[in-house]
Amino acid sequence: MGDHPVNTKNAVLASGDHSPVKSWWWGVVFFYGLSGFASLAYEVLWSRMLSMQFGVSIFGVVLTVTAFMIGLGSGSLAGVKWARLIRKPLVVFAVIEMAIALYALMLPGLLRWTSLWLAAGRLTLMQWYLLQALEALSLLLVPAFAMGVGFALVWKAVDRTPLSLGKLYGLNTLGGALGALFPLWGLPVLGWTDSVRGVALLGFVAGGAALFFSRFVNSSSAEKQGTSRPPLSALLFYAGIGAGSLMLEVGWVRLYGMIMLRTEYVLGVILAVFLVGIALGSLLVPRRHWISVLLPLVAGGGVLLGLRFLPAVSAWVEASQFQSFFSAVSSEAMVAALFTLPVTLALGAWLPLLAERYKHVDASGVWLYGANCLGGGLGALLACLVIIPFFGSVAMVVIAGLAVSAFGLAGIKSRWGWLGFAFLLMLAWPLRNMPPVRDLLPIAEADSRDLYLYEDAVSLTHVVSHKDGQRILLSDLQRMDASSDPAAVEIQMDQARLALLLHPDPRSVLFLGLGTGISMAGSAPFPDLDRSAVELSQGAIFAARHWFSGVNGGIVDQARVYRDDARHYLNATDRHYDVIIGDLFHPDLAGMGSLLSVQQFQRAKDHLNDDGVFVQWLALNQFDIRSLGVVFNSFRQVFPDAQMFMDGMHLALVGPRKPLLIAGAMQRNLQRLDDRGQMLATGNEGMWTWLGRYWGPVPGSQGRVQDEWVPYIEYSLPRARYDGSVNLANLMSWLMRRHPDVDAAANILGVAEHDREAFGRAYMATTLTAQSWISALQGDEAKSVKMIWLAYQANPHDHWIANALADSMMQSLTQAREHGLSTREALQRILQVSPDHVNALRALWHLEKAAGNMQEAERYRLKLLAVSPLDSEANSAL
């Protein structure tokens, strides 16, 4: 990033100032500081606005930064010529500042209107992205260009005062740093809309102050200024430094957003660090030739040092226990600043050094600043479109650091400087690759081994393998999307089972999210089923086809898989489906809340056939009561007859296009299948187990909803996680109070009178299981075990209940021996409760093998492999 110029004018020019208020120029410091605050706050908030539109934060960051830098650069260069023709520069500046504030208030509506227009067309994903990018750039270039022109106007207004522009812009930059940090507080506390309104209000204040102080500007300060410029080579070198600087900014946002803060918060921190470093660097670094040689090496070395300590920072974040959301944000921000501020100090010192070199050129600082900004905009685009997809974020940061050093050294003659650069090249080579996951997450993934890494500007996808052979899909490092662990496989397959069981005759299904493809594998028993899936991450699509095919049965090859944004796909397609399934995801991540919005639920409903069903899955451990209530309100607004089912600790929101008697639909569905097909379709649990997981109508009110353009949950959830509101025991208890009694549930589902006993047992088993989980979460293990035992007596077919009871029995093997049971007998009893219990199967395999019963041992090993195909121990015995 660049900096504004240090004016080398002689202070005696102030003697020409005859205004009645002799120190009026200090008022300019005030309103220009407010202007800097507003400008950078707009940048961070608008990047969040684009994340709402694109659904992925990195595009929003790149487009916002590109538009700002190109707008500021071109506006500054245009302002060099225009300012000399204007006799009242502060009046024009005030009009511009107020116009920007008004534009900021109008911009969300403009973007929303153009988005609706784009949604009406039938565009491919790339066409959609391209048109959105052009739209966003066009809309954001306007205010950024005006900000660049404003700089030239203020520069002219104070040109004949004792106030140097170096000091003026230093204070403006510090205001900008505070503005970049403002969203860290404003977004979670005020929300996006009110934050924009608050910043716009400050913009109006800055404009009003500029109008007030314009009365004191002497007309003699409106003299024409020269239009000569520094040499083209200097502008190109400094543009190259700008390109490298913005590549660093994008890379740091990706990497630090991966290991610590949300992307828009990291953007605020990185921008603030850039601005503070630039301000301090321009004000404090001495103007010496040896400094010019040292700066490129300091910048490049600082970048490499930060990458060297990236695993240590990630490990610190993973191990830290923060007491509040703001303590987490502030602590992580300070650590990010520790490794980026030295680099930005060096970047900030370049402009005054160059301006000093070309002090004989009028407005040299403006020319250099404009070139730097234009180079920065091109660097941001290069980072997003080329370097990240082909080389990755870590390599891009290395390339950016070396580029800054090389362009800095190119502008000076120093043999020692290039020798130092050669040393940087040697240091850079080992740092070019992403560190292994086990180094970045040494607690959660200590025994993992990286199998696959895919990165582009949309997402970063890892597949890692643990010592037991199980594989995990990680998105953006810390989001565990899915696992091949047998218990996790059941959770994922149940997402398809329930949804398809609720339709009387499903012929087509759409999965909004593919992940590992294991969810889709739950649809395998349903005959003549046309399967489709939408997945934005190319890495996840590849992983599902190649790294998880052993656990998803290769089902992905039997489906149409569209690489697309779920919202765009539903806007663009004409297809309709019997069943649409919304996958589990992390709703507190930037842009993800749109998938739980009223608009997204309406899109899904619009693409259902007349008797279609939409099922949205929620992970209860990701919500607090208030945020879950907002999702309920949003769902009920679109699906008035919405119902809930509980599977494990996951909640399914079921939205039928028209009222549906669920029991009758499930019976008609299963009657199409033979006995074996029925057991496979229900996961060997039977119809009554699934009907017994019914939880009641989705509660709703006329309160707050999740709107794509007025989001709530992605700002409330991060705070809720730290203040204790995300409490699974409290949430489960709250849901328990909304669980209808068995007769009411049977009436809602349409259970026939002669089936009510079977339904009642399964329904009571689900209720007892939920009570058991609540007791376990509250620390009452004895009560939890008692409840699970009672639940098993009511419904032994429920695999969640059977597994929980089998786990309890495994923990009490020593007590079984005290009651006269051998270890073999105790383990066999466990398998009678839960035939697929992995630990019991493994123990019996080892037991029979040690006893020399090789045939029995092999039988248990093969059964273990059937349950857990990727188990490393069972596979190594082949």
Side-chain angles (χ1 to χ4, degrees), residues 752-803:
E753 192 66 35
H754 62 272
D755 290 326
R756 294 210 170 193
E757 181 180 354
F759 168 73
R761 293 180 67 85
Y763 191 77
M764 182 56 65
T766 299
T767 304
L768 290 169
T769 303
Q771 291 173 342
S772 171
W773 291 334
I774 294 171
S775 297
L777 291 168
Q778 294 173 341
D780 192 342
E781 290 296 332
K783 184 177 179 181
S784 175
V785 172
K786 181 179 179 180
M787 291 290 183
I788 282 293
W789 174 251
L790 292 173
Y792 181 75
Q793 296 301 307
N795 181 18
H797 303 295
D798 188 310
H799 66 75
W800 297 117
I801 299 172
N803 283 339

Short mmCIF file of all heavy atoms in Angstrom, two decimals, residues 752-803:
data_model
loop_
_atom_site.label_atom_id
_atom_site.label_comp_id
_atom_site.label_asym_id
_atom_site.label_seq_id
_atom_site.Cartn_x
_atom_site.Cartn_y
_atom_site.Cartn_z
N ALA A 752 -51.55 -44.02 12.45
CA ALA A 752 -52.80 -44.75 12.62
C ALA A 752 -52.91 -45.28 14.05
O ALA A 752 -51.91 -45.52 14.74
CB ALA A 752 -52.87 -45.90 11.62
N GLU A 753 -54.15 -45.50 14.49
CA GLU A 753 -54.39 -45.92 15.86
C GLU A 753 -53.69 -47.23 16.19
O GLU A 753 -53.10 -47.38 17.27
CB GLU A 753 -55.91 -46.06 16.10
CG GLU A 753 -56.29 -46.20 17.56
CD GLU A 753 -55.99 -44.93 18.36
OE1 GLU A 753 -56.12 -43.82 17.80
OE2 GLU A 753 -55.59 -45.07 19.54
N HIS A 754 -53.70 -48.20 15.26
CA HIS A 754 -53.10 -49.50 15.55
C HIS A 754 -51.57 -49.46 15.52
O HIS A 754 -50.92 -50.44 15.90
CB HIS A 754 -53.61 -50.56 14.55
CG HIS A 754 -53.24 -50.24 13.12
ND1 HIS A 754 -54.04 -49.46 12.32
CD2 HIS A 754 -52.17 -50.61 12.37
CE1 HIS A 754 -53.49 -49.36 11.11
NE2 HIS A 754 -52.35 -50.04 11.12
N ASP A 755 -50.97 -48.36 15.09
CA ASP A 755 -49.52 -48.23 15.07
C ASP A 755 -48.99 -47.37 16.21
O ASP A 755 -47.77 -47.18 16.31
CB ASP A 755 -49.07 -47.60 13.74
CG ASP A 755 -49.26 -48.54 12.56
OD1 ASP A 755 -49.09 -49.75 12.76
OD2 ASP A 755 -49.57 -48.04 11.46
N ARG A 756 -49.86 -46.88 17.05
CA ARG A 756 -49.42 -45.89 18.04
C ARG A 756 -48.53 -46.49 19.11
O ARG A 756 -47.69 -45.78 19.67
CB ARG A 756 -50.63 -45.19 18.65
CG ARG A 756 -51.38 -44.35 17.63
CD ARG A 756 -52.07 -43.16 18.21
NE ARG A 756 -52.57 -42.28 17.16
CZ ARG A 756 -53.00 -41.04 17.37
NH1 ARG A 756 -53.03 -40.54 18.59
NH2 ARG A 756 -53.44 -40.30 16.36
N GLU A 757 -48.70 -47.76 19.42
CA GLU A 757 -47.82 -48.35 20.43
C GLU A 757 -46.38 -48.41 19.93
O GLU A 757 -45.44 -48.03 20.65
CB GLU A 757 -48.30 -49.75 20.81
CG GLU A 757 -47.42 -50.39 21.89
CD GLU A 757 -47.87 -51.78 22.27
OE1 GLU A 757 -48.94 -52.23 21.80
OE2 GLU A 757 -47.15 -52.43 23.05
N ALA A 758 -46.20 -48.88 18.69
CA ALA A 758 -44.85 -48.95 18.13
C ALA A 758 -44.24 -47.55 18.01
O ALA A 758 -43.06 -47.33 18.33
CB ALA A 758 -44.89 -49.62 16.76
N PHE A 759 -45.06 -46.60 17.56
CA PHE A 759 -44.57 -45.23 17.47
C PHE A 759 -44.23 -44.68 18.85
O PHE A 759 -43.20 -44.04 19.05
CB PHE A 759 -45.62 -44.34 16.80
CG PHE A 759 -45.31 -42.87 16.92
CD1 PHE A 759 -44.28 -42.30 16.18
CD2 PHE A 759 -46.02 -42.07 17.80
CE1 PHE A 759 -43.99 -40.94 16.29
CE2 PHE A 759 -45.73 -40.71 17.93
CZ PHE A 759 -44.71 -40.15 17.17
N GLY A 760 -45.10 -44.94 19.82
CA GLY A 760 -44.89 -44.40 21.16
C GLY A 760 -43.60 -44.88 21.78
O GLY A 760 -42.90 -44.10 22.46
N ARG A 761 -43.23 -46.15 21.58
CA ARG A 761 -41.99 -46.67 22.14
C ARG A 761 -40.79 -45.97 21.50
O ARG A 761 -39.85 -45.58 22.21
CB ARG A 761 -41.91 -48.18 21.93
CG ARG A 761 -42.96 -48.99 22.73
CD ARG A 761 -42.83 -50.48 22.46
NE ARG A 761 -41.58 -51.00 23.00
CZ ARG A 761 -41.40 -51.39 24.25
NH1 ARG A 761 -42.42 -51.33 25.11
NH2 ARG A 761 -40.25 -51.85 24.66
N ALA A 762 -40.82 -45.82 20.20
CA ALA A 762 -39.70 -45.15 19.53
C ALA A 762 -39.63 -43.67 19.92
O ALA A 762 -38.53 -43.11 20.12
CB ALA A 762 -39.85 -45.29 18.02
N TYR A 763 -40.79 -43.05 20.05
CA TYR A 763 -40.84 -41.64 20.41
C TYR A 763 -40.31 -41.43 21.82
O TYR A 763 -39.53 -40.50 22.09
CB TYR A 763 -42.27 -41.14 20.29
CG TYR A 763 -42.43 -39.64 20.38
CD1 TYR A 763 -42.12 -38.83 19.30
CD2 TYR A 763 -42.91 -39.04 21.54
CE1 TYR A 763 -42.29 -37.46 19.36
CE2 TYR A 763 -43.08 -37.67 21.62
CZ TYR A 763 -42.76 -36.88 20.53
OH TYR A 763 -42.93 -35.51 20.60
N MET A 764 -40.71 -42.30 22.76
CA MET A 764 -40.23 -42.20 24.14
C MET A 764 -38.73 -42.46 24.20
O MET A 764 -38.02 -41.83 24.99
CB MET A 764 -40.98 -43.19 25.01
CG MET A 764 -40.58 -43.14 26.48
SD MET A 764 -40.77 -41.47 27.21
CE MET A 764 -42.55 -41.28 27.09
N ALA A 765 -38.23 -43.39 23.37
CA ALA A 765 -36.79 -43.66 23.36
C ALA A 765 -36.00 -42.42 22.95
O ALA A 765 -34.95 -42.11 23.55
CB ALA A 765 -36.50 -44.82 22.41
N THR A 766 -36.48 -41.70 21.95
CA THR A 766 -35.81 -40.46 21.53
C THR A 766 -35.83 -39.43 22.66
O THR A 766 -34.82 -38.76 22.93
CB THR A 766 -36.49 -39.88 20.29
OG1 THR A 766 -36.38 -40.82 19.21
CG2 THR A 766 -35.84 -38.57 19.87
N THR A 767 -36.95 -39.31 23.34
CA THR A 767 -37.05 -38.36 24.45
C THR A 767 -36.07 -38.72 25.56
O THR A 767 -35.37 -37.84 26.09
CB THR A 767 -38.49 -38.36 25.00
OG1 THR A 767 -39.40 -38.06 23.94
CG2 THR A 767 -38.65 -37.33 26.10
N LEU A 768 -36.00 -40.00 25.93
CA LEU A 768 -35.08 -40.44 26.98
C LEU A 768 -33.62 -40.22 26.56
O LEU A 768 -32.78 -39.85 27.38
CB LEU A 768 -35.32 -41.91 27.29
CG LEU A 768 -36.64 -42.23 28.02
CD1 LEU A 768 -36.89 -43.73 28.02
CD2 LEU A 768 -36.59 -41.69 29.45
N THR A 769 -33.34 -40.44 25.27
CA THR A 769 -31.97 -40.23 24.79
C THR A 769 -31.58 -38.76 24.92
O THR A 769 -30.46 -38.44 25.35
CB THR A 769 -31.86 -40.67 23.32
OG1 THR A 769 -32.25 -42.04 23.21
CG2 THR A 769 -30.44 -40.52 22.82
N ALA A 770 -32.46 -37.87 24.53
CA ALA A 770 -32.18 -36.44 24.67
C ALA A 770 -31.96 -36.07 26.13
O ALA A 770 -31.05 -35.29 26.47
CB ALA A 770 -33.31 -35.62 24.07
N GLN A 771 -32.77 -36.61 27.04
CA GLN A 771 -32.59 -36.35 28.47
C GLN A 771 -31.25 -36.90 28.95
O GLN A 771 -30.59 -36.30 29.81
CB GLN A 771 -33.74 -36.96 29.24
CG GLN A 771 -35.08 -36.25 29.01
CD GLN A 771 -36.24 -36.98 29.65
OE1 GLN A 771 -36.15 -38.17 29.98
NE2 GLN A 771 -37.35 -36.27 29.81
N SER A 772 -30.84 -38.05 28.39
CA SER A 772 -29.54 -38.62 28.75
C SER A 772 -28.41 -37.69 28.32
O SER A 772 -27.45 -37.47 29.08
CB SER A 772 -29.38 -39.98 28.07
OG SER A 772 -28.06 -40.47 28.22
N TRP A 773 -28.50 -37.14 27.11
CA TRP A 773 -27.48 -36.22 26.64
C TRP A 773 -27.41 -34.97 27.52
O TRP A 773 -26.32 -34.49 27.85
CB TRP A 773 -27.75 -35.83 25.19
CG TRP A 773 -27.55 -36.95 24.23
CD1 TRP A 773 -26.75 -38.05 24.37
CD2 TRP A 773 -28.19 -37.09 22.96
NE1 TRP A 773 -26.85 -38.86 23.28
CE2 TRP A 773 -27.72 -38.30 22.38
CE3 TRP A 773 -29.11 -36.34 22.25
CZ2 TRP A 773 -28.14 -38.75 21.14
CZ3 TRP A 773 -29.53 -36.79 21.00
CH2 TRP A 773 -29.05 -37.97 20.46
N ILE A 774 -28.57 -34.46 27.89
CA ILE A 774 -28.58 -33.27 28.75
C ILE A 774 -27.91 -33.58 30.08
O ILE A 774 -27.10 -32.79 30.59
CB ILE A 774 -30.03 -32.78 28.96
CG1 ILE A 774 -30.61 -32.27 27.63
CG2 ILE A 774 -30.07 -31.69 30.02
CD1 ILE A 774 -32.09 -31.97 27.70
N SER A 775 -28.21 -34.74 30.66
CA SER A 775 -27.59 -35.13 31.94
C SER A 775 -26.08 -35.27 31.79
O SER A 775 -25.31 -34.83 32.66
CB SER A 775 -28.20 -36.44 32.43
OG SER A 775 -29.58 -36.30 32.69
N ALA A 776 -25.64 -35.88 30.68
CA ALA A 776 -24.20 -36.03 30.46
C ALA A 776 -23.53 -34.66 30.33
O ALA A 776 -22.45 -34.44 30.88
CB ALA A 776 -23.96 -36.87 29.21
N LEU A 777 -24.16 -33.75 29.60
CA LEU A 777 -23.59 -32.41 29.43
C LEU A 777 -23.53 -31.65 30.75
O LEU A 777 -22.66 -30.80 30.95
CB LEU A 777 -24.42 -31.62 28.41
CG LEU A 777 -24.33 -32.10 26.96
CD1 LEU A 777 -25.42 -31.45 26.11
CD2 LEU A 777 -22.96 -31.80 26.37
N GLN A 778 -24.46 -31.96 31.65
CA GLN A 778 -24.48 -31.31 32.96
C GLN A 778 -23.62 -32.03 33.98
O GLN A 778 -23.58 -31.63 35.14
CB GLN A 778 -25.92 -31.22 33.45
CG GLN A 778 -26.80 -30.29 32.61
CD GLN A 778 -28.26 -30.33 32.99
OE1 GLN A 778 -28.72 -31.29 33.63
NE2 GLN A 778 -29.01 -29.32 32.59
N GLY A 779 -22.95 -33.13 33.56
CA GLY A 779 -22.02 -33.82 34.44
C GLY A 779 -22.61 -34.94 35.26
O GLY A 779 -21.92 -35.52 36.11
N ASP A 780 -23.86 -35.29 35.05
CA ASP A 780 -24.51 -36.36 35.82
C ASP A 780 -24.44 -37.65 35.01
O ASP A 780 -25.41 -38.05 34.35
CB ASP A 780 -25.96 -35.98 36.13
CG ASP A 780 -26.61 -36.89 37.16
OD1 ASP A 780 -26.07 -38.00 37.38
OD2 ASP A 780 -27.65 -36.52 37.72
N GLU A 781 -23.29 -38.32 35.06
CA GLU A 781 -23.08 -39.51 34.25
C GLU A 781 -23.99 -40.66 34.67
O GLU A 781 -24.47 -41.43 33.83
CB GLU A 781 -21.61 -39.94 34.34
CG GLU A 781 -20.65 -39.02 33.64
CD GLU A 781 -20.88 -38.98 32.12
OE1 GLU A 781 -21.37 -39.98 31.57
OE2 GLU A 781 -20.57 -37.94 31.51
N ALA A 782 -24.22 -40.81 35.96
CA ALA A 782 -25.06 -41.92 36.44
C ALA A 782 -26.47 -41.81 35.88
O ALA A 782 -27.05 -42.80 35.39
CB ALA A 782 -25.09 -41.95 37.96
N LYS A 783 -27.04 -40.62 35.93
CA LYS A 783 -28.37 -40.42 35.38
C LYS A 783 -28.38 -40.62 33.88
O LYS A 783 -29.33 -41.18 33.32
CB LYS A 783 -28.86 -39.02 35.73
CG LYS A 783 -30.29 -38.75 35.29
CD LYS A 783 -30.74 -37.36 35.73
CE LYS A 783 -32.17 -37.08 35.27
NZ LYS A 783 -32.60 -35.71 35.68
N SER A 784 -27.31 -40.19 33.21
CA SER A 784 -27.22 -40.33 31.77
C SER A 784 -27.25 -41.81 31.37
O SER A 784 -27.97 -42.20 30.45
CB SER A 784 -25.94 -39.67 31.25
OG SER A 784 -25.77 -39.89 29.87
N VAL A 785 -26.47 -42.64 32.05
CA VAL A 785 -26.43 -44.07 31.73
C VAL A 785 -27.78 -44.72 32.00
O VAL A 785 -28.25 -45.55 31.20
CB VAL A 785 -25.32 -44.76 32.55
CG1 VAL A 785 -25.39 -46.28 32.38
CG2 VAL A 785 -23.95 -44.24 32.13
N LYS A 786 -28.44 -44.34 33.08
CA LYS A 786 -29.76 -44.90 33.39
C LYS A 786 -30.76 -44.56 32.30
O LYS A 786 -31.56 -45.41 31.87
CB LYS A 786 -30.23 -44.35 34.73
CG LYS A 786 -31.60 -44.89 35.18
CD LYS A 786 -32.00 -44.32 36.52
CE LYS A 786 -33.38 -44.84 36.95
NZ LYS A 786 -33.78 -44.28 38.26
N MET A 787 -30.73 -43.31 31.82
CA MET A 787 -31.65 -42.90 30.77
C MET A 787 -31.40 -43.66 29.47
O MET A 787 -32.33 -44.07 28.78
CB MET A 787 -31.52 -41.39 30.51
CG MET A 787 -32.02 -40.52 31.66
SD MET A 787 -33.81 -40.59 31.81
CE MET A 787 -34.07 -39.41 33.14
N ILE A 788 -30.12 -43.88 29.14
CA ILE A 788 -29.81 -44.62 27.91
C ILE A 788 -30.29 -46.06 28.02
O ILE A 788 -30.81 -46.64 27.05
CB ILE A 788 -28.29 -44.55 27.63
CG1 ILE A 788 -27.93 -43.20 27.02
CG2 ILE A 788 -27.84 -45.68 26.71
CD1 ILE A 788 -28.50 -42.98 25.62
N TRP A 789 -30.15 -46.66 29.20
CA TRP A 789 -30.62 -48.03 29.38
C TRP A 789 -32.14 -48.11 29.19
O TRP A 789 -32.64 -49.01 28.53
CB TRP A 789 -30.22 -48.55 30.75
CG TRP A 789 -30.78 -49.90 31.06
CD1 TRP A 789 -31.77 -50.20 31.96
CD2 TRP A 789 -30.43 -51.14 30.45
NE1 TRP A 789 -32.05 -51.54 31.95
CE2 TRP A 789 -31.24 -52.15 31.02
CE3 TRP A 789 -29.50 -51.50 29.46
CZ2 TRP A 789 -31.14 -53.49 30.65
CZ3 TRP A 789 -29.41 -52.83 29.10
CH2 TRP A 789 -30.21 -53.80 29.67
N LEU A 790 -32.85 -47.14 29.75
CA LEU A 790 -34.30 -47.12 29.58
C LEU A 790 -34.67 -46.89 28.11
O LEU A 790 -35.63 -47.49 27.59
CB LEU A 790 -34.92 -46.03 30.45
CG LEU A 790 -34.84 -46.25 31.97
CD1 LEU A 790 -35.34 -45.00 32.70
CD2 LEU A 790 -35.66 -47.47 32.37
N ALA A 791 -33.92 -46.02 27.42
CA ALA A 791 -34.18 -45.77 26.01
C ALA A 791 -33.96 -47.03 25.18
O ALA A 791 -34.73 -47.33 24.26
CB ALA A 791 -33.27 -44.64 25.51
N TYR A 792 -32.93 -47.81 25.53
CA TYR A 792 -32.66 -49.05 24.81
C TYR A 792 -33.79 -50.06 25.02
O TYR A 792 -34.17 -50.78 24.09
CB TYR A 792 -31.33 -49.65 25.26
CG TYR A 792 -30.97 -50.92 24.54
CD1 TYR A 792 -30.50 -50.88 23.23
CD2 TYR A 792 -31.10 -52.16 25.16
CE1 TYR A 792 -30.16 -52.05 22.55
CE2 TYR A 792 -30.79 -53.33 24.49
CZ TYR A 792 -30.31 -53.27 23.19
OH TYR A 792 -30.01 -54.43 22.51
N GLN A 793 -34.32 -50.10 26.22
CA GLN A 793 -35.44 -51.00 26.48
C GLN A 793 -36.65 -50.62 25.63
O GLN A 793 -37.41 -51.48 25.17
CB GLN A 793 -35.81 -50.94 27.97
CG GLN A 793 -34.73 -51.43 28.92
CD GLN A 793 -34.33 -52.87 28.66
OE1 GLN A 793 -35.19 -53.76 28.61
NE2 GLN A 793 -33.05 -53.10 28.48
N ALA A 794 -36.83 -49.31 25.41
CA ALA A 794 -37.98 -48.86 24.63
C ALA A 794 -37.76 -49.11 23.14
O ALA A 794 -38.70 -49.48 22.42
CB ALA A 794 -38.22 -47.37 24.88
N ASN A 795 -36.53 -48.91 22.64
CA ASN A 795 -36.28 -49.09 21.20
C ASN A 795 -34.84 -49.53 20.97
O ASN A 795 -33.95 -48.69 20.79
CB ASN A 795 -36.55 -47.79 20.45
CG ASN A 795 -36.33 -47.93 18.93
OD1 ASN A 795 -36.30 -49.04 18.41
ND2 ASN A 795 -36.17 -46.81 18.25
N PRO A 796 -34.57 -50.83 20.95
CA PRO A 796 -33.20 -51.32 20.74
C PRO A 796 -32.70 -51.15 19.30
O PRO A 796 -31.53 -51.39 19.03
CB PRO A 796 -33.32 -52.80 21.10
CG PRO A 796 -34.75 -53.15 20.86
CD PRO A 796 -35.53 -51.92 21.19
N HIS A 797 -33.57 -50.72 18.37
CA HIS A 797 -33.17 -50.58 16.97
C HIS A 797 -32.47 -49.24 16.69
O HIS A 797 -31.83 -49.11 15.64
CB HIS A 797 -34.39 -50.71 16.06
CG HIS A 797 -35.14 -52.00 16.24
ND1 HIS A 797 -34.61 -53.22 15.93
CD2 HIS A 797 -36.40 -52.25 16.73
CE1 HIS A 797 -35.48 -54.17 16.20
NE2 HIS A 797 -36.58 -53.61 16.68
N ASP A 798 -32.60 -48.30 17.57
CA ASP A 798 -31.99 -46.97 17.37
C ASP A 798 -30.48 -47.09 17.56
O ASP A 798 -30.00 -47.42 18.64
CB ASP A 798 -32.57 -45.97 18.36
CG ASP A 798 -32.12 -44.55 18.09
OD1 ASP A 798 -30.91 -44.32 17.92
OD2 ASP A 798 -32.99 -43.66 18.05
N HIS A 799 -29.71 -46.83 16.49
CA HIS A 799 -28.27 -47.06 16.59
C HIS A 799 -27.58 -46.05 17.49
O HIS A 799 -26.54 -46.35 18.08
CB HIS A 799 -27.61 -47.09 15.20
CG HIS A 799 -27.64 -45.80 14.44
ND1 HIS A 799 -26.85 -44.73 14.74
CD2 HIS A 799 -28.36 -45.42 13.35
CE1 HIS A 799 -27.07 -43.75 13.89
NE2 HIS A 799 -27.99 -44.14 13.03
N TRP A 800 -28.14 -44.83 17.65
CA TRP A 800 -27.56 -43.88 18.60
C TRP A 800 -27.67 -44.41 20.02
O TRP A 800 -26.72 -44.34 20.80
CB TRP A 800 -28.24 -42.52 18.49
CG TRP A 800 -28.07 -41.86 17.16
CD1 TRP A 800 -29.04 -41.55 16.27
CD2 TRP A 800 -26.83 -41.47 16.56
NE1 TRP A 800 -28.50 -40.99 15.14
CE2 TRP A 800 -27.14 -40.92 15.30
CE3 TRP A 800 -25.51 -41.54 16.96
CZ2 TRP A 800 -26.18 -40.44 14.44
CZ3 TRP A 800 -24.53 -41.05 16.11
CH2 TRP A 800 -24.87 -40.51 14.86
N ILE A 801 -28.81 -44.96 20.35
CA ILE A 801 -29.02 -45.51 21.69
C ILE A 801 -28.13 -46.73 21.90
O ILE A 801 -27.46 -46.87 22.92
CB ILE A 801 -30.51 -45.88 21.89
CG1 ILE A 801 -31.38 -44.63 21.75
CG2 ILE A 801 -30.72 -46.55 23.22
CD1 ILE A 801 -32.87 -44.91 21.74
N ALA A 802 -28.12 -47.63 20.92
CA ALA A 802 -27.32 -48.85 21.04
C ALA A 802 -25.83 -48.54 21.17
O ALA A 802 -25.13 -49.14 22.00
CB ALA A 802 -27.56 -49.75 19.83
N ASN A 803 -25.34 -47.59 20.38
CA ASN A 803 -23.92 -47.23 20.46
C ASN A 803 -23.58 -46.61 21.81
O ASN A 803 -22.52 -46.89 22.38
CB ASN A 803 -23.56 -46.26 19.34
CG ASN A 803 -23.41 -46.95 18.00
OD1 ASN A 803 -23.20 -48.16 17.94
ND2 ASN A 803 -23.53 -46.19 16.92
#
